Amino acid sequence: MSKTDFSRRDFLKLSGYGLMGMILPRLSSSLQQDDFDNLQGRVTERILWSYDAPSTKASRKKLYWRDIIIPITNSTISDDENAFNRVWYEAQEGGYIYSGNVQPVHTVLNEPQSISLKGALGEVSVPYTDAYLEPDPNSDGAYRLYYETVHWVKASAVHPGDGRVWYCLLDDKFEQYYYVPAEYIRLISDSELAPLSPEIPAEEKRLEVRLKDQLVLAYEKNDLVFATRAATGGRRLSGHYTTPDGEFITFHKRPTRHMAAGDIASNGFDLPGVPWVLYLTKSGISFHGTYWHNDFGRPRSHGCINLTPQASKWLYRWTIPTVQPDKAFAYGYVGTRVQIII
């Protein structure tokens, strides 16, 4: 598909991808989520209503609140063609919920594994888990960690009372350690991070961000190989944030980053385990996975280019520089070309 072939019809089709919000012709089947088997939704807002039709103008059915887990049976598209995000989820217990305020999640338990001296990357595989300062649920809490966040696992520990295995996680911003039950973390293999399309010369890969359409497009030569919806800079309680337009490169990449800034009560943020980060500017503008909302297609970030974790991981593997699996980052004066246009 060439650049000029990406039509309004394609855009509307892209809007209909309720789970991942992307077209990925070359994506491996291991990342495709075409069905709703055991799919759940985690409420990301303080409160959220379900309705008897996919519209906020319909009658309210049930009130949910943050971190409630809702079984999801299907997705549908609202009739409002002017909406940024038209995707709604159908709840198993009845009613429709707006997808932008619901993180799609699964509950997958894992067999604890031994951790090498170099550590390992791990991904939370349950809707959320609380992290503690000791491998004991009676110790002081540190953070609540959410589905598909990524963390450095540095060691394992066994609770002397019940024999439960815990993983010790390194907080890469504050240089502190905390613990979560090992069965809630899926260790990421080296092969899972192998570069995508390594046979394509670096100069023939490029990314295009369309701010008006809230789209990220990836090209090899002039062929469109990847498209995903995004959430770029938007109006917040503390001000109006913009994503800069212009030419950039992905010069700094990290598999995980604890992002924090400002006073949370005044629309600041404190987000451990932000996955698959590709920095474009030294001030911190980046592509990255997002777990605190699912509202792609709507400008709402602090300036970064918010993506689903799956989409951001695809970009992380496809772009340069390559981050070695045992390294915390890659930083240099090379990177994949990025054009951000209004």
Side-chain angles (χ1 to χ4, degrees), residues 18-235:
L19 296 184
M20 300 171 68
M22 61 178 126
I23 299 171
L24 294 178
R26 300 187 184 181
L27 189 64
S28 66
S29 60
S30 64
L31 288 183
Q32 291 177 352
Q33 298 181 16
D34 295 328
D35 57 64
F36 291 81
D37 290 345
N38 302 313
L39 180 66
Q40 302 165 304
R42 179 185 67 85
V43 176
T44 61
E45 293 294 300
R46 186 176 64 85
I47 60 171
L48 179 68
W49 283 94
S50 66
Y51 298 83
D52 63 4
S55 170
T56 56
K57 297 179 181 179
S59 297
R60 289 176 171 179
K61 285 184 62 70
K62 185 173 181 178
L63 179 64
Y64 301 95
W65 53 93
R66 193 188 308 275
D67 289 350
I68 287 289
I69 308 302
I70 307 167
I72 295 173
T73 59
N74 209 339
S75 66
T76 189
I77 305 298
S78 73
D79 293 331
D80 185 2
E81 293 190 6
N82 295 317
F84 284 102
N85 179 2
R86 296 171 56 191
V87 180
W88 288 68
Y89 293 142
E90 295 182 35
Q92 186 180 71
E93 56 194 5
Y96 297 83
I97 48 179
Y98 176 62
S99 71
N101 299 327
V102 178
Q103 180 194 17
V105 297
H106 287 85
T107 298
V108 179
L109 301 182
N110 308 276
E111 190 70 27
Q113 300 181 37
S114 60
I115 305 301
S116 69
L117 292 177
K118 68 179 183 180
L121 282 172
E123 177 185 74
V124 175
S125 63
V126 294
Y128 62 80
T129 179
D130 292 323
Y132 299 89
L133 296 182
E134 301 291 339
D136 185 339
N138 296 313
S139 64
D140 292 336
Y143 283 97
R144 175 160 285 187
L145 307 181
Y146 290 101
Y147 185 73
E148 289 188 322
T149 57
V150 174
H151 309 268
W152 283 108
V153 182
K154 291 298 184 179
S156 60
V158 178
H159 190 280
D162 59 13
R164 191 180 198 182
V165 179
W166 294 66
Y167 284 153
C168 176
L169 308 183
L170 170 65
D171 186 299
D172 67 308
K173 183 175 181 64
F174 298 118
E175 295 294 325
Q176 72 174 107
Y177 294 92
Y178 33 75
Y179 295 82
V180 298
E183 66 263 30
Y184 298 156
I185 301 291
R186 182 184 70 84
L187 298 184
I188 299 172
S189 67
D190 290 357
S191 61
E192 194 175 327
L193 301 179
L196 296 174
S197 301
E199 74 283 359
I200 303 297
E203 63 272 15
E204 294 183 354
K205 289 183 175 182
R206 64 183 175 88
L207 290 169
E208 183 179 298
V209 181
R210 299 186 185 179
L211 298 179
K212 181 180 179 181
D213 295 327
Q214 295 291 285
L215 285 174
V216 176
L217 309 174
Y219 294 93
E220 294 175 1
K221 299 182 180 179
N222 289 318
D223 295 327
L224 178 64
V225 297
F226 176 94
T228 184
R229 308 179 77 204
T232 62
R235 190 175 299 278

Side-chain angles (χ1 to χ4, degrees), residues 201-208 217 219 221-222 247-250 280 287 318-320 334-340:
E203 63 272 15
E204 294 183 354
K205 289 183 175 182
R206 64 183 175 88
L207 290 169
E208 183 179 298
L217 309 174
Y219 294 93
K221 299 182 180 179
N222 289 318
E247 301 283 341
F248 306 90
I249 61 171
T250 57
L280 304 178
F287 296 99
W318 185 78
T319 56
I320 61 170
V334 298
T336 299
R337 292 179 297 147
V338 179
Q339 182 182 28
I340 302 179

Side-chain angles (χ1 to χ4, degrees), residues 4 168 203 240 279 284 289:
T4 56
C168 176
E203 63 272 15
H240 188 206
Y279 288 101

